[in-house]
Amino acid sequence: MMSVNPKPLASKMFTPSSRSSTSVISGRKWNRHQVRTCTSNTEATSVADSSLFQSQSSPSRATTGFRSPSWGSTVAETLKSRSRALCDNWRFNVLTTMLTVYALFGDDFRLSATHKTMDNFFNVMTLLCLMVFTLEVVVSSLGKEGYFLGFFFLLDCGATVTLFFDLTWVWNEFACNNAGDGGSGALKTSRAGRAGARAARTVRIIRLIRLVKLYKTYKGNIEHNKGRRPSKDSGEAHPGGGEEPEEEEEDDLISEGYQDDLQVDNLGGEAHPKKAAVVSETRVGKKLSEMTTRRVIVLVLVMLFVMPLFQTSFHGFEDLRTSADMGVELVYDRLRDWCLARDPSDPLPWCLQALETPADALSEQRRADRAWFEEYLLNYIYSHVHGNFAWHLFWVGLKSTTLAASLDDVGLADYIARLGQLNQPRFLGPLARSSDRLTEWDSLHANPLWTIPGVSVEESVRQRLTKPWTERCHHYFGVGVSVTDAKDYEETPLCSYDEELRCSELQSFFPLAKSEWEEHQLSLIFVFDIRATTQLAAGLSILQTIFICLAVGIGSMLFTHDANQLLLNPIERMMAKMEAIKDNPLYAMKLGDIEFRREEIKQAKLQDQLARMNRCVRWLYTTYNANKAKEPMETMILEKTIIKLGGLLALGFGEAGAEIIGQNMRGGHSAGVNAMVAGRKVDVIIAFCSIRNFTDATETLKEEVMQFVNQIGEIVHGCVDDYMGAPNKNIGDCFLLVWRLSGIAPDKQKKLADMAMMSIVRMIAEVNKSRKLAVYREHPGLLQRVRKYRVKLGFGLHCGWAIEGAIGSEFKIDASYLSPNVNVASRLEAATKQFGVLTLISHFMVRLCSPELGVNCRLIDQVTVKGSKQPIRLYTIDLDHMQLKVSPKKTLAMRNRFKLRQLREAQRNEKWSDDYFLAKVFAADADIINMRAAFAPEFFLRFSMAFRNYEAGEWRVARDMFYTCHYCPEKSMEYPTNVEEEDWPVDGPTRTLLTFMRKTHYHPPSQWPGHRELTEK
């Protein structure tokens, strides 16, 4: 067998194409986008800082005092970038989230679980919230587009302002400055104001939702960035498509557990382009979600503020007066009978003139009235100090504005303290009880045999009531009846209920049935501890806040669920597919299979669910779904149309038109089509395939010729795709096939050249084994025109540079390749008929392929083709296709397109792996062995010796050698000198060279260069 010494092509012939650099640039753009939207705003900040530093430290500016006109804009950009970086900083987000939770629940927790002494701690926390939230509003206004004066800006500002009311000293000035007067309207107003402040602050839950969303987006971008990082051991582009994306299913397929079905096609070093679009949210979806959330918030706020308007208590109406209200009136009425019975001749009541009952005719009546006053007062105290109710009496006091005007503070305090003291003989006379009889109060006012058993008061309370009421609270002097340690307050100027209770934790009751004169003379106050109610209200407020948060979140989800299902999700899927097609138009051919697989999984999941249901539930489920509309939604129709259009574009334009599709898809701002995209230079392997006797087939088959060509095209295109190639053009009886070399590593270029040669061999074998094409061997019309008709293909294989781009005009274009090398491949294919072979391969191609496969090629001539002065050495692969038999009838082919595509992808990946050697496959393939069995090694040796003599100009010696070049020559080395043409060897190249030499009677030209001109096109 002849030996071939293949040499690698010159490196300058195969330069890396612009596609590789383009993919890198696009990848870098994507990374910058992710950095800008995720976490690395600090890079922008550092750049801005450095530019600012340079502008400030420039020597010329420092010495001359000159500032560039862009200095102000640089400062503004620096401020914006720093604000944006702070907004996106995860630590700042965690801090604002924690403070937001505190702002929502902190005040209610303070009221429900802490004592008044802890208020200062909560005030400090509230001040911290105010500062951080104010900073957040400022930096968001500077760093976030559309935030300033927007909806959430107003909400954040309002919620921040309401935090002032959580400061106890602010709230006390606003709502608790009336604790000593007799009105209750201010306190009612304070409760309404606090409810409004808490409701306004509740809407800050949107901050939590937004932060969760930002965190999810950040995590999604980080994972996606990892997915787009190229593999370390795949640094070259995909041979078939330049940059083949990872073959990966949509997220819903992955979630169904079909990871094992995914076939990674990472030949181009680029990850799946669609993954970048998975986490992105459409502008329509973002706007709709934001508007829905706004409306839910407004609805909740309106309901929160408006619903109290429909309650009678909001308008000052109460259902009835409580025992505390009525009891204070009864007690004061008895006080009036004792002391305030007005004498027209006396400006002051008698009790304010002296601390002793006057010895007159009314002394007994006055003692009885005092006794009744004390009985009513004790009954009021016993009824409200203890019991199964939330409010408990805390403090009792007296006040006299008239005495305050005439006595000093010490005299006033002493007089009122002794006036209020119970069980005094000076007022009761013989009705006063001794100290050991005070327990009789319990039997009178707390009888355990009553329907509602009474509860006695502590001994300390009885002792306090029978001592002077020295504790001063505001303008009242009184005594605490529920204070744990009342002595501390009796000996200090402190007010017990001011120290023990917050203003929201007490309720004061005053007698209202009194005249202005009586109010000035002597007034009465009862202060109740309402902490049980306040704590319950605070706890319920926490639950209400949680409920509102859930209402906002669940309401938004419910409102947007239908929109997401019917509109937004289909739009996002469409955009994901458009992004995938834009990044790699050839990927569109696989979208249909992925969509088919998604529907298949959905149907399988439904069948599995139905199988697990019992008969009744299954009937209900099927009946319910049967009532649904069976017509597909317009969005689904549009989505499937995009898939079909993308697949048709990829099929129509092919690999050469990928750049045309991509550039037009990236121009999303315009609806115009720019098909005339500038071409680019690429290095390719070019194969021309022609159907022999096509004119006879066309005239004979007529309408059926389309089916005939498509049956051949299915085999040709399938073999090309199996071996990493790409069909480019179908020109009637010819097919232009391309393998791209640009961006491929040199060792992979050799493998790609082997695949191109192997692909041609497989086409020859499959065409002759096809049962569909074997039918035409018995077609009467074809047999009448061509004796022993058989479908035959001729191939011309060459490599070199070509210009890839659009050919045509705005009316019609074809995406193809223009180059003299394309013409060379075409002429080589045409010359196969002249040489009587099925394939002609240029020496450039043989040098590019691996030596192990190149030795199977036979050098048959050296020629110059029309339009080129460079000689080309012609090779062929000797194959006797007549030795192949038609394939037996096979079982039913696989109909699952998804599985079929996965199988093809797995086979392609196996061929492209480093441990797959095509030379070994070529030597072991049964079809190739059968087709080459007719060619003896002796034949190759004799033809090689004859061709060397022919090339050296020894034509007579070459002639005699060619006469012996039979496929199975005899062992005799005797060379005949005169052989008739009909006795020449049947080998096509041998007869062609003999015919050429016979034209000059086997004498070479005087200056024989060793090659000839190939006259036939």
Side-chain angles (χ1 to χ4, degrees), residues 2 4 112 222 275 393 524 587 605 648 761 801 940:
M2 59 165 287
V4 181
S112 63
I222 291 297
K275 292 178 68 178
L393 184 62
L524 193 62
Y587 181 72
K605 185 177 180 181
L648 289 174
V761 175
W801 63 269
F940 293 110

Side-chain angles (χ1 to χ4, degrees), residues 761-817:
V761 175
R762 290 309 312 166
M763 291 180 207
I764 296 173
E766 294 300 327
V767 164
N768 285 275
K769 291 170 58 180
S770 171
R771 295 182 59 84
K772 295 180 180 179
L773 297 180
V775 175
Y776 297 100
R777 300 179 188 179
E778 302 175 359
H779 194 282
L782 292 174
L783 291 175
Q784 185 177 2
R785 286 175 172 264
V786 181
R787 182 172 174 269
K788 295 183 179 180
Y789 178 79
R790 179 187 288 254
V791 178
K792 293 172 59 179
L793 302 178
F795 296 91
L797 193 61
H798 184 54
C799 63
W801 63 269
I803 305 301
E804 179 187 76
I807 305 172
S809 67
E810 62 180 1
F811 300 102
K812 177 66 173 70
I813 64 167
D814 287 322
S816 189
Y817 298 86

Side-chain angles (χ1 to χ4, degrees), residues 179 364 580 775 897:
E364 294 298 328
V775 175
R897 294 179 299 171

Side-chain angles (χ1 to χ4, degrees), residues 234-239 242 244 265-270 724 908-909 912:
S234 60
E236 64 280 348
H238 189 280
E244 183 70 12
D265 193 4
N266 196 21
L267 308 181
E270 181 181 354
M724 304 301 182
R908 281 162 52 92
N909 295 334
W912 189 246

Side-chain angles (χ1 to χ4, degrees), residues 183-196:
S184 60
L187 191 57
K188 187 182 299 182
T189 303
S190 69
R191 290 201 302 270
R194 181 173 290 265

Side-chain angles (χ1 to χ4, degrees), residues 721-735:
D721 183 74
D722 287 344
Y723 289 90
M724 304 301 182
N728 178 253
K729 292 184 68 176
N730 305 322
I731 318 170
D733 61 335
C734 297
F735 302 96

Side-chain angles (χ1 to χ4, degrees), residues 759-932:
S759 174
I760 291 175
V761 175
R762 290 309 312 166
M763 291 180 207
I764 296 173
E766 294 300 327
V767 164
N768 285 275
K769 291 170 58 180
S770 171
R771 295 182 59 84
K772 295 180 180 179
L773 297 180
V775 175
Y776 297 100
R777 300 179 188 179
E778 302 175 359
H779 194 282
L782 292 174
L783 291 175
Q784 185 177 2
R785 286 175 172 264
V786 181
R787 182 172 174 269
K788 295 183 179 180
Y789 178 79
R790 179 187 288 254
V791 178
K792 293 172 59 179
L793 302 178
F795 296 91
L797 193 61
H798 184 54
C799 63
W801 63 269
I803 305 301
E804 179 187 76
I807 305 172
S809 67
E810 62 180 1
F811 300 102
K812 177 66 173 70
I813 64 167
D814 287 322
S816 189
Y817 298 86
L818 293 179
S819 171
N821 295 306
V822 178
N823 296 333
V824 168
S826 176
R827 289 187 172 90
L828 292 182
E829 185 280 322
T832 57
K833 303 172 185 177
Q834 177 184 347
F835 283 92
V837 294
L838 299 178
T839 61
L840 278 182
I841 307 170
S842 69
H843 71 278
F844 298 103
M845 188 65 198
V846 175
R847 289 178 181 177
L848 182 61
C849 71
S850 63
E852 294 81 5
L853 191 63
V855 297
N856 296 292
C857 299
R858 175 167 60 120
L859 176 62
I860 61 174
D861 203 351
Q862 184 172 208
V863 300
T864 59
V865 297
K866 186 176 181 180
S868 175
K869 296 182 179 180
Q870 183 180 12
I872 300 176
R873 298 170 75 85
L874 302 182
Y875 290 80
T876 188
I877 300 178
D878 293 289
L879 300 169
D880 185 6
H881 62 279
M882 301 297 291
Q883 302 301 320
L884 296 178
K885 297 181 180 180
V886 178
S887 299
K889 188 175 182 179
K890 296 182 179 180
T891 58
L892 188 63
M894 184 185 300
R895 294 190 177 186
N896 190 319
R897 294 179 299 171
F898 181 82
K899 290 293 185 182
L900 183 61
R901 180 178 61 82
Q902 294 289 2
L903 180 61
R904 292 176 67 93
E905 290 294 335
Q907 294 173 349
R908 281 162 52 92
N909 295 334
E910 181 185 4
K911 294 182 178 71
W912 189 246
S913 62
D914 294 334
D915 54 354
Y916 188 88
F917 300 99
L918 286 162
K920 294 182 179 180
V921 176
F922 186 93
D925 188 273
D927 293 334
I928 298 176
I929 292 175
N930 291 335
M931 288 190 291
R932 291 179 63 83

